[in-house]
Amino acid sequence: AGGATADLSYAHTGVFQEMVKSECHFINGTDRVKFVKRFIYNREQYVHFDSDVGLYVGDTPYGEKVARYWNSDPEWMEYRRDAVHRHCRHNYELSIPFVVER
């Protein structure tokens, strides 16, 4: 029977995807470490934190509003800025036997 097949693309199913990616960039071991946290909605990055900048940066008009709100909270920003040490350097030390010394 020649029935039409359903179009199951995201636009037609009502499925939305939000993703948060945390990245640690190591240059010469831990001599220089950069932490980036990306917030992505439906494959579009709308805001990100970059430890080199020390602030959230909006990548879309909505992301600019989110960045202003998050950047206005001093305690939250102190916690986020410390992620390069708390998250990246800590995990680097734990991972050395598995990724560096092989």
Side-chain angles (χ1 to χ4, degrees), residues 2 6 12 18 22-24 26 35 37 43 47 49 58-59 64 70 75 79 81 85 92 94:
H12 294 91
E18 178 140 26
S22 297
E23 304 170 3
C24 296
F26 300 98
F35 175 75
K37 188 162 190 160
R43 299 185 213 145
V47 66
F49 177 84
D59 300 300
E64 290 173 4
W70 287 343
E75 286 183 29
Y79 178 80
R81 289 182 188 116
H85 304 290
Y92 183 88
L94 293 175

Side-chain angles (χ1 to χ4, degrees), residues 14-74:
V15 174
F16 300 96
Q17 180 184 50
E18 178 140 26
M19 179 169 47
V20 179
K21 291 177 63 176
S22 297
E23 304 170 3
C24 296
H25 301 255
F26 300 98
I27 296 91
N28 193 22
T30 57
D31 286 351
R32 176 144 152 43
V33 182
K34 177 178 177 174
F35 175 75
V36 178
K37 188 162 190 160
R38 303 175 188 280
F39 296 80
I40 301 157
Y41 182 75
N42 281 354
R43 299 185 213 145
E44 180 179 34
Q45 180 173 303
Y46 63 94
V47 66
H48 70 278
F49 177 84
D50 180 334
S51 66
D52 284 352
V53 176
L55 295 169
Y56 283 93
V57 177
D59 300 300
T60 67
Y62 172 71
E64 290 173 4
K65 291 177 187 177
V66 172
R68 275 194 299 275
Y69 177 74
W70 287 343
N71 289 336
S72 71
D73 183 337

